[in-house]
Amino acid sequence: MDTLFRLVSLQSSDQQSSFKSSRTSSSSRSSKANHHLFHQPFQNREEEKYREECGNNYHVCVDEDFSSSSSSKHLQPHPSTAATPTPSTAATTTTASTAHVLFELADFSFPPDLNIDFASSSSAAAGGGGGGWAAQLLLECARAVAARDSQRVQQLMWMLNELASPYGDTEQKVASYFLQALFARLTSAGPRTLLTLAAASDRTCSFDSTRRTALRFQELSPWSSFGHVAANGAILESFLDAAGGGGSPQPQRLHILDLSNTFCTQWPTLLEALATRSSDDTPHLSITTVVSSASPSAAVQRVMKEIGQRMEKFARLMGVPFKFNVIHHAGDLSELDLDRLDLREGGGALLAVNCVNALHSVSPAGSRRDLFINALRRLQPLIVTVVEEESDLQAASGGDGGGEEGEEGFLKVFRESLRFFSAYFDSLEESFPRTSNERLALERAAGRAVVDLVACPAAESAERRETAAGWSLRMRAAGFAPAAFSEDVADDVRALLRRYREGWSMRSAGEADDPGGAAPGIFLAWKDQPVVWASAWKP
Amino acid sequence: MFPSGTMSNSTSMSEEASVSSDTRAHDYNNSMGSLCTPISPPYHQQQQQEPQPKAKKKRSQPGNPEKNILLVLAIDPDAEVIALSPKTLMATNRFVCEICNKGFQRDQNLQLHRRGHNLPWKLRQRSSKEGVRKRVYVCPESSCIHHHPSRALGDLTGIKKHYSRKHGEKKWKCEKCSKRYAVHSDWKAHVKTCGTREYRCDCGTLFSRKDSFITHRAFCDALAEESARLMAATTDAAAATAMTTSISHPLLHHPLFLPFSSCDYLPNPNPNPNCNTSPYQVKPHNPLPSLLHHLPTTISPYLSATMHPLPTTRSATISTAAGGQMGSSMFDAGDPSAWQRSDRLTRDFLGAAAGDTGEEGLLSLTGALGLDLVTAASCDRGDHAKHFVGFPPVTGTWGDC
């Protein structure tokens, strides 16, 4: 595991095994030595117990080491350990007693009520959202965290640590990233962990790596291209209706406000469609892309600049009059002053707003989301396309979604994140080849999102997704009415899905029950679980 | 993917347009007579001075004036211009067998079918000497370009297909790419090739899917080099025409290309014979000479020297049909007002140059605008390298990707 494995006591002194470790300043990668402290006692005394309780699968797992680093260190049993802990990086500051006191057998007895079914395959789990061993263990651990049962937490985290790996199969990966997030929560190091991880990924971020990841992802999985195709179709059709019906023979101008995190990979196909539609009067297209992040990074700026250059060149090649703007906004998207952006180009252009995974990055605190959507409404756009991931990750307990979440809220968010990201990881696993740097980058990004969800306060979170129904309510409240996708667009989407592997399907959102039309738009489903929602709205 | 009304099979259209007086025209004499609204020939003759097709046309339009006029003049200057009603045009199987109710598109076919029922049948001979005039057909849709007699089509099947394609409902759809077609034969032709066509990017990667090809192309490194080479080949023309291509296109980014006019003037890379673009190869020669009027005469030899590589580089660049756009739109520069417009633009950018840091130097260079660049271009190419070597950040980002 990559993160520092530190435990803090959740309850104060009445615990026998209160174990405090001091914070080490070493980087996360040097933490393997810590595992000795936990591993040694178990190697000899507990193995038989595990064998009985858990079945062969687990036993096999214990012997192999899935962690990529320090495998040799792990498996060297030291029978007489108790007296000689190896605190190479950790300096325990426990009261007097050395490590051995902390590892009384009784304290680490395997919880008898834990009945993990390791044999169930993870693919079944992904569909059901909770069937695999990782899900079970993680949920148990989360419950223990919520109940502040530190002993149990330690036991479970130990197990998870043994089994998890970011380089293994889906179960192991899910276990690894969620464990990292739980750990960050326990040590109240959520925001800091997030910063560290973000800085680490920023170091390797470049135009080339970003491009490769994004394009490969779109080539192998319809997760992002689903939203793109639907949105492009809706935008193009509404523009043509408005421009053509308007009657003026001159080519119209279309301005797109692009709030998305997909690095403009949506637009080349739109440019091509504009170019091939009519040879005579290709409309003028301007795109204003807003990249917002809590902490602006130079790498992202460089990447966007390069993207801008390529887009312009491509537009020139296509023969589409084109203008491209990038806005780097630091802070919450709701703070962006939309009026200063000259979105209508002095009144000559029709405006379309494209929100791909942007709305959930607005903080759920207060009524920011509603305010933001209202601001969009005030722009009087021709159409607003909303593509979001389908998952209810709001900490609902507080009512306004901000501030501290109660234990209930935490468990709910945890369970939901587990379900959603299990599906995500599962789809990545089945779409990409076994070893893929691009998939690793995507998984790490998801891991950061999980840390944000599990260990960081909701008010500062940029990952609090809502369901289609939730967003629909907000959109309607702001004065938008749903615009259904035309048959052509639906056909395009279906044709798109046919180009990918099995497992993906499209579902129309408004199928069920609700006569009020709870959720317009369409869902992309992975193994029949809706994961991405695409919709279009008009004022 | 997206509604594209003009995507029709160009080869078949041009075939039909070029078909000269056909026997088929006469078969419809009797049946169609009641539905035709002949337009008097003298009107048609006035149209011979019809303005030439717009420079923007990228393929030879069916029923284009020169062809049609030539055709008609050669064959029959008194051709009858006929506008059929939409109902007629869309009708299929107008000839119905009275016995079995089977429908046929042509009377000839019906007659042959009647033989099978042992009914009297009669095959009409084409009567060419009876004073039946050659018919050309116009589209009844008034907003359509073929509504005008000068753009009439010589073939009945042609006008029927045109009407379906342009103004008809697209009932046939490809399963793979969900493209829609109004004419069954278009659809059949498409389905045969859909999915089998492979797209090759200039960087060498092969794609079977159009959308992943396009997205790749937009961000491909080969695109960067391609544009650099294009800019190199046509520095002066590009400086002028690229601005007219996208009037509001920020000139700020053009200077970024200029440094590359110095490096690696790559020889024509792919002999990627894309036969779709062969018509384009002829075109560049026409409007470019008009550019010469605007530029100092000293560089005209340079221009003519670069004209030759121009068509081939462009055809190499254009690997999608849409690429033709570039060829057509670039020639607007022949228009003097366009040239001046671009001049104004660059002068504006000079004033607005304060915004961008590393590029001010470049801007001041281009400030003297195109003319200076052109004269620079006319001299030794090595000068370019010296000019722009002072802007490593620009080249740096390019080199990295």
Side-chain angles (χ1 to χ4, degrees), chain A residues 211 236 272-273 276-277 279-280 284 310 312-313 316-318 322 488 491-492 495 498-500, chain B residues 1-2 6 173 175-176 178 180 209-211 214 219-221 248-249 253 257 317 325 398 401:
Chain A
R211 172 185 65 172
L236 189 64
E272 192 260 346
T276 55
R277 203 187 53 85
S279 57
D280 291 346
H284 180 283
R310 303 262 171 140
E312 280 164 353
K313 251 178 293 173
R316 214 187 335 270
L317 181 70
M318 287 281 126
F322 184 68
D488 279 344
D491 284 337
D492 279 342
R498 270 195 290 272
R499 298 181 210 136
Y500 292 101
Chain B
M1 273 192 340
F2 299 108
T6 56
K173 210 168 71 104
E175 282 304 316
K176 292 183 202 162
S178 76
R180 302 195 100 110
R209 275 168 47 191
K210 188 175 182 190
D211 53 347
I214 287 175
F219 296 111
C220 183
D221 296 331
S248 59
H249 190 100
H253 293 277
F257 300 149
T317 316
Q325 276 289 339
W398 282 73
C401 55

Side-chain angles (χ1 to χ4, degrees), chain A residues 207-208 211 215 218-220 225 229 232-234 236-237 240 253 263-266 268-270 272-282 284 302 305-314 316-324 487-489 491-493 495-496 498-500, chain B residues 1-7 54 56-58 173-180 207 209-212 214-227 230-231 242 245-250 253-254 256-257 317-318 320-323 325-326 328-329 359 397-398 400-401:
Chain A
F207 169 73
D208 200 46
R211 172 185 65 172
L215 291 188
Q218 290 183 4
E219 188 187 320
L220 294 174
S225 33
V229 166
N232 280 346
L236 189 64
E237 277 183 0
L240 292 178
R253 300 172 70 92
F263 299 102
C264 296
T265 44
Q266 178 174 354
T269 30
L270 182 66
E272 192 260 346
L274 279 175
T276 55
R277 203 187 53 85
S278 126
S279 57
D280 291 346
D281 56 349
T282 312
H284 180 283
R302 279 195 299 270
K305 183 161 181 229
E306 184 65 32
I307 286 179
Q309 290 170 359
R310 303 262 171 140
M311 290 289 293
E312 280 164 353
K313 251 178 293 173
F314 182 69
R316 214 187 335 270
L317 181 70
M318 287 281 126
V320 176
F322 184 68
K323 185 170 187 306
F324 188 78
E487 266 310 302
D488 279 344
V489 174
D491 284 337
D492 279 342
V493 171
L496 177 81
R498 270 195 290 272
R499 298 181 210 136
Y500 292 101
Chain B
M1 273 192 340
F2 299 108
S4 49
T6 56
M7 289 302 284
K54 291 178 269 208
K56 269 192 178 176
K57 291 283 171 285
K58 61 175 178 111
K173 210 168 71 104
C174 170
E175 282 304 316
K176 292 183 202 162
C177 66
S178 76
K179 224 169 154 200
R180 302 195 100 110
F207 294 90
R209 275 168 47 191
K210 188 175 182 190
D211 53 347
S212 40
I214 287 175
T215 317
H216 163 90
R217 192 98 184 33
F219 296 111
C220 183
D221 296 331
L223 183 72
E225 290 164 20
E226 197 65 45
S227 301
L230 258 182
M231 293 302 143
T245 303
S246 48
I247 302 300
S248 59
H249 190 100
H253 293 277
H254 285 269
L256 291 176
F257 300 149
T317 316
I318 299 169
T320 63
Q325 276 289 339
M326 185 175 193
S328 53
S329 50
E359 293 160 342
T397 45
W398 282 73
D400 282 348
C401 55

Side-chain angles (χ1 to χ4, degrees), chain A residues 36 39 65 67-78:
Chain A
H36 284 282
H39 185 82
D65 190 344
S67 305
S68 60
S69 53
S70 71
S71 50
S72 52
K73 279 195 247 164
H74 240 292
L75 295 179
Q76 283 160 14
H78 291 224

